[in-house]
Amino acid sequence: MSLPSSRWFAPLTRAVTYTRWLHLVVSGVVGLTFASVIGVTDAGVTDWLLLFFVHPVPLVAAAALVPAMRRAEGLQARVMLFPGAHARVDDDKAEDASGSGVSVAPSASWDDRVRTALWLVLRLEVGGATAFATVNLIGQALALVGAAAGAPDQDSPLFAVEGPRWLAALLLPLPLLALYVVVVLAGLSTAAAARRFLGPSPAQRLAALEERTEQLLERNRIARELHDSIGHALTVAVVQAGAARATADPAFTERALEAIEDTGRHALEDLERVLRVLREDGRPARGRPTLADADRLLVSARTAGAKLDVDLSGPVDRLPGPVSREGYRMLQEALTNVLRHAGPVPVRVQVTAGAALLTLDVRNALPAPAAATGRGGSGLRGIRERATLLGGRADTGPHEGDWRVRVELPLA
């Protein structure tokens, strides 16, 4: 078990303690430079403190009006107040994924400018105080070292040491301990203030949340695409291979191999398209199959042994793009579900494109062991999710002795 004191002195071993210290001390240079430029030779301590801490305030507040100033301060804060892998910033995102909570976007509103101004003033004051404490406490420690070594009397920044040399040696840890406390507390408070004043605005947080939501939705859509396409191809291949082995008919085997090859080729095309979208982030998906390409699904299901009774009515080839693409995937999943769970059975497929509604209805004989399942697996759940996203509805389950998948999608 570690000693309780190790927790109090743990910051000594952390690089963030020293980068925060440097960040604060550099901030004090602004006040020192300002005081040195306009200061007068006969100014007293009070005058110097005013020149150091008060007079530069309007200047640094005015600097916050420049939009790029917020980005510059955000980058500095990330690198020096929150060191780590996330400190390497190469984009303009409002909020980093690591959780430092500091924005690197330029000011986009007056609220951003006001918060940047408050941050600059706070950094000036806390940094100046830290720099002042650093110089004086280190000077005091050096004076105590000199007194303990028997050096001639010299002015001490904070207090004079009078007495034996052992007393100076005994007091030596005090200014160093005080400096340690100042540096740690000032660093912690500055990091907290950076999150408050340099963090993303509510509008930026909302935009980031919307972007993450869109990314999650896109990932879910891609997962469904792969599930439907690859699952359909594998199901057809398994069914065809099993049927070919069972029949031992060379002609049937030839047709089965052709069907497996054709289905596999389409699955590879879908996979390549999805991978291309993932590699080229930001580009829309192109070439996705629609209900106008439903014939290839029907041919694939027939070659797998399903006895299809198909009724396509209405202008299927003129459906809105999103509805037609998602309708294709729903029909694909419904047929895959039939082949996987019912085998080569009679299937009734109805696709009706009306003036305001697209209806998909797929029915097949319900095997006895499946009668109690009720809802099906993840594929059927995906059909219901797709329908909901398009503002429609999907019903899946036993119906009048058959298994039915019925989807209704609005066209307006």
Side-chain angles (χ1 to χ4, degrees), residues 15-258:
V16 68
T17 302
Y18 303 98
T19 57
R20 287 173 177 173
W21 187 11
L22 178 60
H23 184 266
L24 291 169
V25 171
V26 170
S27 305
V29 174
V30 176
L32 180 62
T33 303
F34 195 90
S36 300
V37 170
I38 68 172
V40 292
T41 56
D42 58 347
V45 175
T46 302
D47 295 329
W48 275 101
L49 291 177
L50 289 174
L51 289 172
F52 196 90
F53 289 102
V54 178
H55 291 177
V57 169
L59 179 63
V60 297
L65 297 177
V66 180
M69 181 60 68
R70 183 173 182 81
R71 175 174 172 80
E73 290 297 316
L75 289 171
Q76 291 183 61
R78 281 199 190 179
V79 172
M80 305 192 74
L81 300 181
F82 308 94
H86 63 279
R88 295 186 291 273
V89 180
D90 57 1
D91 54 39
D92 295 329
K93 290 185 178 179
E95 189 174 6
D96 62 314
S98 67
S100 73
V102 174
S103 171
V104 295
S107 297
S109 64
W110 280 106
D111 177 70
D112 289 344
R113 292 180 175 87
V114 169
R115 290 195 297 144
T116 305
L118 292 174
W119 162 256
L120 289 174
V121 172
L122 177 67
R123 183 181 174 188
L124 170 71
E125 305 299 336
V126 177
T130 303
F132 181 83
T134 298
V135 171
N136 285 276
L137 289 173
I138 292 179
Q140 183 65 48
L142 292 176
L144 289 171
V145 170
D153 295 339
Q154 52 183 314
D155 294 335
S156 299
L158 300 179
F159 59 88
V161 180
E162 297 179 357
R165 294 165 58 180
W166 63 264
L167 179 60
L170 186 64
L171 294 176
L172 178 58
L174 293 182
L176 297 179
L177 182 60
L179 178 61
Y180 169 73
V181 172
V182 168
V183 169
V184 172
L185 293 181
L188 290 173
S189 61
T190 304
R195 291 190 177 98
R196 173 65 181 84
F197 295 113
L198 296 180
S201 64
Q204 290 173 330
R205 292 184 185 275
L206 180 60
L209 178 61
E210 291 177 349
E211 181 180 354
R212 286 195 293 270
T213 301
E214 289 294 329
Q215 291 174 348
L216 289 175
L217 290 175
E218 181 66 11
R219 289 178 182 178
N220 288 335
R221 186 192 65 76
I222 290 174
R224 286 195 299 266
E225 290 268 329
L226 289 177
H227 172 274
D228 295 345
S229 179
I230 305 303
H232 177 77
L234 291 176
T235 299
V236 170
V238 169
V239 172
Q240 291 280 41
R245 184 179 63 178
T247 59
D249 181 359
F252 182 86
T253 301
E254 180 70 20
R255 292 194 301 271
L257 291 175
E258 290 178 359

Side-chain angles (χ1 to χ4, degrees), residues 218-219 221-222 225 269-288:
E218 181 66 11
R219 289 178 182 178
R221 186 192 65 76
I222 290 174
E225 290 268 329
E269 291 174 359
D270 287 342
L271 179 61
E272 175 62 26
R273 176 182 52 76
V274 171
L275 294 178
R276 185 165 56 250
V277 171
L278 292 175
R279 287 194 299 265
E280 301 173 6
D281 188 24
R283 294 188 57 181
R286 299 184 185 277
R288 293 175 58 193

